Amino acid sequence: MNSPVIRLEHRQHQTLTPRLQQAVRLLQLSSLDFAQEIQQAVGSNPFLEEDPDAHVAAEGEGPAPVEPVPSWAEVAPSAAPVSEATWDRESWGPAGGGSTRNHSGDGELDLVEMVAAEVPLRHHLHGQINVLPLSERDRALAATIIEALDDDGYLRLTLEELRGLAECSPAPDETEMNVALKLVQSLEPAGIAARDVRECLLLQLKEIEPAQDRDLACRIVSNHLEKLAMRDINGLAKLVGATPAQVEAVCERIRHLDPRPGWRFGPSNTQFVTPDVIVRKVRGVWTATLNPDVVPKVRLNQVYAELFQRHRDSKHSELAAHLQEARWTVRNVEQRFATILNVAQAIVKRQRHFLEYGALAMKPLGLREIAEELGLHESTVSRVTNNKYMATPLGVFELKYFFSRALPTVSGGACSATAIRGLIKDMIEAEDPSNPLSDAQIARQLARQGLTVARRTVTKYRQMLKLPSVEKRRRHS
């Protein structure tokens, strides 16, 4: 029978200190998550406070040092004051003392009051119903249908189910419910209260002119919606007895209809990207500077820290932990933005031709090149480039967009995958709509330019660019 044995072993392994763990976690956060993290730390740690006197350095300074706190470049000019007299008199009312405009407490015009209110879909429809000359019973039935609509504006319940929900006595019959449905479907926006996509489109086709196109569109939507979705123009032309050019023109008008009319109302879920770095050309040189709006103005509360040091004893171990965490947080904030700025400047240095000429001038770039130049680990550069954005004259890009693998050319050089995607996009934009290029033809054209790219790779890049296939791009004259 085996007996338990105690054995001592020596092993070496790497561990991260609590400060390094916090630094890594803060570095990989997006600007929004990072701001929330710092705000939460300021609210829970008595040794942290906001710094209202944090200054912004002059534009064009070099990389910020890690210690002390780096200075950030001023990149956005302050907004000029707007005089009340510049507002359109007929839009906003007279500028004299009898104006009814709301003002803020300091006497200036409150622009918040001028923002258009977002009206929910149901409120919009109820407002139309309330001004129509309807009986109370008809208005109640229409309101029942309106309340049953989903966010897309569709009626997912059957009329039989709605009959039991209507608070009317006697209970409405099928004819009354159909009349109430037709009434709601006549409201704006067109296509509301439809039972499916086909009915939604048919309700909107009433606005198409001339009548010949409207009739052809109704036949396509009613009987051949599947082929419309497949963009089978030739097949539709044979089924409806029209020319491919006529069918294509009508299908193009159908595609401009709104399959979800309810989305026009209610709060919008648009999410805006706040860039971490702003790139501008200063005296002929491309320069990267931090966006001051994403840099938290946080500092150590020196008064509390000095008081704690004077009266420190073993009973205040929790406060000691808070003080240590506050110091780590301030240093890690400095380290985060210094690292982001240094990586961004290294990227701009290598991709300046992209900033001048666009995607076709993008150079191949790997994480290792930036890591070796800055003395960082590749994983650190990867964390910096993830969910961090750079604002350039060409648009806002994620930092990892500027990294692209090298593809060999016939001449022995290298070309980035981003540049090849730019070439593919230019070829498709310049093609003949009646005779578009297939993926194989694009691959052959790239080969004639010295770029060996497989047809399946062209297909992958085209799909990444969200460009349709050759048949869906074909236009009939």
Side-chain angles (χ1 to χ4, degrees):
M1 183 174 180
N2 295 330
S3 59
V5 177
I6 298 177
R7 184 172 56 189
L8 181 65
E9 292 184 356
H10 293 278
R11 294 182 180 179
Q12 290 185 344
H13 62 276
Q14 292 182 340
T15 59
L16 295 178
T17 64
R19 179 190 171 185
L20 288 179
Q21 292 177 5
Q22 185 192 45
V24 170
R25 185 171 57 85
L26 293 180
L27 184 61
Q28 63 189 6
L29 293 177
S30 65
S31 59
L32 179 60
D33 294 336
F34 178 75
Q36 293 175 348
E37 183 80 13
I38 296 301
Q39 191 66 30
Q40 182 179 358
V42 172
S44 60
N45 195 319
F47 294 101
L48 287 176
E49 65 176 356
E50 294 184 357
D51 184 8
D53 300 326
H55 71 282
V56 180
E59 183 177 328
E61 292 187 358
V66 174
E67 296 207 21
V69 180
S71 57
W72 319 123
E74 177 67 57
V75 296
S78 59
V82 181
S83 172
E84 276 192 33
T86 61
W87 295 108
D88 184 87
R89 186 174 298 272
E90 303 207 8
S91 298
W92 307 105
S99 172
T100 59
R101 289 172 294 184
N102 294 328
H103 293 72
S104 58
D106 55 2
E108 296 181 356
L109 186 66
D110 189 357
L111 298 181
V112 176
E113 298 294 334
M114 296 183 178
V115 178
E118 295 178 337
V119 180
L121 174 63
R122 293 175 180 83
H123 290 183
H124 177 71
L125 297 176
H126 281 304
Q128 298 179 63
I129 286 293
N130 291 336
V131 299
L132 295 178
L134 302 174
S135 65
E136 291 299 326
R137 183 179 179 86
D138 291 339
R139 184 173 285 106
L141 294 178
T144 302
I145 294 177
I146 290 174
E147 290 299 324
L149 301 179
D150 62 8
D151 293 338
D152 294 342
Y154 283 83
L155 181 63
R156 305 296 184 183
L157 300 179
T158 64
L159 295 181
E160 186 64 29
E161 292 173 321
L162 291 177
R163 287 177 59 188
L165 298 176
E167 297 179 356
C168 295
S169 181
D173 56 22
E174 184 178 355
T175 302
E176 286 183 298
M177 294 303 300
N178 277 304
V179 171
L181 176 61
K182 295 299 181 184
L183 175 62
V184 176
Q185 290 179 345
S186 66
L187 303 177
E188 290 292 334
I192 207 71
R195 271 74 62 87
D196 52 35
V197 176
R198 179 178 281 104
E199 185 178 15
C200 180
L201 297 178
L202 288 173
L203 291 171
Q204 299 178 60
L205 290 178
K206 300 175 183 178
E207 302 176 358
I208 290 184
E209 296 292 343
Q212 181 180 357
D213 289 351
R214 182 168 62 251
D215 294 340
L216 181 57
C218 289
R219 290 163 56 194
I220 293 175
V221 172
S222 300
N223 305 318
H224 312 292
L225 192 60
E226 293 76 13
K227 286 192 173 294
L228 172 66
M230 296 170 58
R231 297 176 181 258
D232 187 0
I233 302 299
N234 292 325
L236 282 173
K238 295 178 181 179
L239 292 172
V240 299
T243 64
Q246 291 175 326
V247 172
E248 185 173 33
V250 170
C251 289
E252 188 65 25
R253 300 188 67 176
I254 294 174
R255 293 189 190 101
H256 281 80
L257 302 179
D258 189 357
R260 296 181 178 89
W263 281 15
R264 307 180 200 174
F265 301 88
S268 60
N269 296 322
T270 305
Q271 297 182 353
F272 297 93
V273 172
T274 302
D276 301 83
V277 180
I278 299 176
V279 176
R280 300 175 66 183
K281 199 171 188 179
V282 181
R283 299 182 184 90
V285 179
W286 289 103
T287 305
T289 55
L290 287 171
N291 182 0
D293 291 335
V294 302
V295 181
K297 299 176 177 60
V298 61
R299 67 183 178 186
L300 186 68
N301 191 316
Q302 295 294 342
V303 175
Y304 287 176
E306 291 175 3
L307 286 175
F308 175 75
Q309 292 293 348
R310 293 175 186 173
H311 305 282
R312 183 171 183 173
D313 54 43
S314 59
K315 298 179 181 179
H316 301 119
S317 59
E318 184 177 354
L319 285 178
H322 279 305
L323 179 58
Q324 185 66 27
E325 184 179 357
R327 288 172 175 165
W328 288 348
T329 300
V330 173
R331 294 192 185 104
N332 289 336
V333 168
E334 299 169 5
Q335 182 67 45
R336 168 190 163 94
F337 287 103
T339 306
I340 291 175
L341 182 59
N342 292 335
V343 170
Q345 288 178 336
I347 292 174
V348 170
K349 179 181 177 182
R350 283 168 169 72
Q351 301 294 4
R352 60 184 181 275
H353 294 297
F354 165 81
L355 300 172
E356 294 280 359
Y357 307 109
L360 296 180
M362 180 77 78
K363 288 185 176 181
L365 182 62
L367 296 175
R368 179 174 296 180
E369 296 180 48
I370 302 297
E372 291 177 352
E373 177 182 345
L374 301 179
L376 302 174
H377 194 273
E378 286 186 49
S379 62
T380 302
V381 179
S382 177
R383 291 186 180 97
V384 170
T385 57
N386 191 35
N387 292 324
K388 314 297 188 304
Y389 294 87
M390 177 186 293
T392 72
L394 301 179
V396 179
F397 303 93
E398 193 173 6
L399 290 183
K400 66 181 181 181
Y401 171 81
F402 296 92
F403 294 86
S404 180
R405 67 187 184 93
L407 298 176
T409 62
V410 175
S411 60
C415 181
S416 69
T418 304
I420 292 178
R421 287 196 294 270
L423 279 173
I424 294 173
K425 183 179 180 181
D426 288 347
M427 289 180 183
I428 292 178
E429 290 178 348
E431 68 185 2
D432 182 6
S434 61
N435 187 25
L437 298 172
S438 65
D439 294 341
Q441 290 173 323
I442 294 175
R444 287 194 290 269
Q445 288 194 16
L446 290 174
R448 286 195 289 269
Q449 298 182 30
L451 301 172
T452 304
V453 183
R455 195 270 313 159
R456 61 179 179 274
T457 305
V458 173
T459 302
K460 182 180 72 173
Y461 288 169
R462 176 180 56 76
Q463 292 172 347
M464 292 174 62
L465 294 170
K466 294 181 171 44
L467 297 174
S469 62
V470 57
E471 290 302 326
K472 294 182 178 180
R473 300 198 311 270
R474 192 182 304 278
R475 296 291 180 266
H476 299 271
S477 58

